[in-house]
């Protein structure tokens, strides 16, 4: 996808400098800064501070984090310790644990002298695969948008929450990929972008990337979706997910559940787009998903651009007030119209997912 008309991926390996390069998402939309990660510590820090975020992208960053770990010290002990620290850096999104596990499987029984090259190739492969999967999600989701357009013969209004765009993946995005595909096909689209407090990924990232691709969009406060649905101004919702259980329950950015309830009450279809790396085939009960509780300062302080053109933080709550910052919630499968995956579209249920992935 493009920024200022230049094609970018969200992460890549600079062969000459032997470092990983990322777009620092904490500075967007005000500053476009490419940052270098040269150690596993840098990678962990980038994930923790959300310089990179979004389930597939933190998976890719963890894979490259292990490449950097091996560059520093290729002993088994260091690889094991780095793997554990990477997995603990953000607990909810399953892609992180999936990528670290896949890297470790690939590295077992590899001669010490080959570890770096094998790890680098596998990290690149994880990213290439994610890009291909997100592109397929787009082609599959395009059919849904096209059906709505064929019936309506007018602009399709899509509501999305958080950023499940190309900035959350390697390219294309999950929820945005069908939108980008529909736009490229000439279907008129308008996106309602949930601001997504407290980190404002909708306003800062989704709206930003849609603008760069010239897709009409409007930022709304998180509580506005309900009235828009009651007024018939939303044709469909598409969101991403950080972890989807094999029974179809969807864990995603805090506030997704409330949007799904409003969609259900107003007969608005509610889709979830995901690559298979986001499916947790092991956990059976959504109550067991570790829900990240982040620093309350993310609620009480807001980032903006100050008069010196620098990104700055300001306090917006009473200094003595307490706040609780849960980062994700779970939408039960019964509120999800369907899952859009790289293999096709299926019901959010064990039967639906098994039909696509287990047969
Ligand atoms: O906290 P974040 O920004 O990493 O959370 C990401 C999300 O919850 C997104 O909505 C997304 O759908 C999951 S990644 C495609």
């Amino acid at each position: 996808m493009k920024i200022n008309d230049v094609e970018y991926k969200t992460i890549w390996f600079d062969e000459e400098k032997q470092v990983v390069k990322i777009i620092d998402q904490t500075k967007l939309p005000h500053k476009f800064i490419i940052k270098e990660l040269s150690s596993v510590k840098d990678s962990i820090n980038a994930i923790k501070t959300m310089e990179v975020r979004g389930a597939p992208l933190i998976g890719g960053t963890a894979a490259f984090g292990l490449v950097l770990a091996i560059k520093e010290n290729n002993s088994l002990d260091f690889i094991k310790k780095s793997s554990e620290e990477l997995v603990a850096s953000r607990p909810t999104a399953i892609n992180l644990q999936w990528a670290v596990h896949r890297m470790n499987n690939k590295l077992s029984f590899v001669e010490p002298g080959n570890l770096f090259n094998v790890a680098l190739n596998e990290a690149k492969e994880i990213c290439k695969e994610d890009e291909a999967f997100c592109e397929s999600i787009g082609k599959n989701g395009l059919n849904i948008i096209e059906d709505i357009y064929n019936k309506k013969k007018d602009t399709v209004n899509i509501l999305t929450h958080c950023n499940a765009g190309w900035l959350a993946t390697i390219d294309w995005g999950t929820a945005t990929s069908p939108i980008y595909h529909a736009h490229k096909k000439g279907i008129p689209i308008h996106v309602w972008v949930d601001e997504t407090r407290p980190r404002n990924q909708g306003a800062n990232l989704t709206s930003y990337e849609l603008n760069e691709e010239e897709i009409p969009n409007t930022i709304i406060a998180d509580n506005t979706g309900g009235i828009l649905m009651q007024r018939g101004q939303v044709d469909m919702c598409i969101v991403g997910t950080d972890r989807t259980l094999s029974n179809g329950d969807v864990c995603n950015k805090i506030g997704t559940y409330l949007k799904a309830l409003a969609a259900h009450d107003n007969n608005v279809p509610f889709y979830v787009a995901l690559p298979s790396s986001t499916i947790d085939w092991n956990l059976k009960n959504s109550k067991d998903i570790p829900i990240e509780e982040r620093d309350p300062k993310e609620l009480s302080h807001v980032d903006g651009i100050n008069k010196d053109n620098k990104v700055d933080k300001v306090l917006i709550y009473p200094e003595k007030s307490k706040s609780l910052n849960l980062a994700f919630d779970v939408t039960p499968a019964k509120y999800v119209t369907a899952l859009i995956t790289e293999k096709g579209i299926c019901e959010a249920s064990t039967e639906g997912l098994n039909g696509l992935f287990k047969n």
Side-chain angles (χ1 to χ4, degrees), residues 50 53-56 90 162-164 174 201 240-242 252-253 328:
M50 292 171 68
R53 26 71 48 208
R90 286 199 74 187
C162 193
N163 172 262
T174 55
Q201 291 97 324
T241 167
D242 296 84
N252 192 46
K253 180 54 56 197
F328 300 96

Side-chain angles (χ1 to χ4, degrees), residues 82-99:
S82 302
S83 299
E84 285 165 3
E85 285 175 5
L86 280 163
V87 168
S89 60
R90 286 199 74 187
T92 304
I94 190 81
N95 302 57
L96 189 49
Q97 159 180 341
W98 167 87

Side-chain angles (χ1 to χ4, degrees), residues 41-189:
K41 250 202 179 118
D42 286 352
S43 311
I44 291 167
N45 184 52
I47 295 170
K48 278 191 173 162
T49 59
M50 292 171 68
E51 288 169 347
V52 286
R53 26 71 48 208
L57 178 57
I58 56 180
T61 309
F64 277 119
L66 277 183
V67 174
L68 296 172
I70 292 167
K71 194 182 85 172
E72 269 170 271
N73 173 351
N74 72 1
S75 71
L76 287 181
D77 278 355
F78 191 66
I79 298 175
K80 186 167 176 280
K81 183 174 158 274
S82 302
S83 299
E84 285 165 3
E85 285 175 5
L86 280 163
V87 168
S89 60
R90 286 199 74 187
T92 304
I94 190 81
N95 302 57
L96 189 49
Q97 159 180 341
W98 167 87
V100 169
H101 191 67
R102 175 164 157 176
M103 291 290 286
N104 275 284
N105 272 349
K106 191 77 191 181
L107 294 172
S108 51
F109 308 114
V110 171
E111 294 290 320
N114 290 335
L115 280 171
F116 179 79
N117 282 338
V118 172
L120 181 57
N121 285 339
E122 191 62 6
K124 286 181 183 170
E125 195 48 43
I126 286 175
C127 292
K128 227 170 89 190
E129 193 180 280
D130 185 68
E131 197 182 326
F133 284 2
C134 286
E135 188 170 1
S136 300
I137 289 169
K139 288 181 183 154
N140 294 329
L142 166 65
N143 297 326
I144 299 171
I145 299 178
E146 217 165 13
D147 280 353
I148 295 177
Y149 178 65
N150 288 338
K151 282 190 201 118
K152 196 182 172 196
K153 298 280 181 237
D154 202 354
T155 302
V156 181
N157 286 299
I158 301 175
L159 184 141
T160 190
H161 190 67
C162 193
N163 172 262
W166 76 271
L167 288 164
T169 63
I170 308 302
D171 209 344
W172 289 106
T174 55
T176 57
S177 188
I179 296 172
Y180 289 130
H181 278 81
H183 179 71
K184 280 184 200 299
K185 219 179 161 185
I187 298 174
I189 302 279

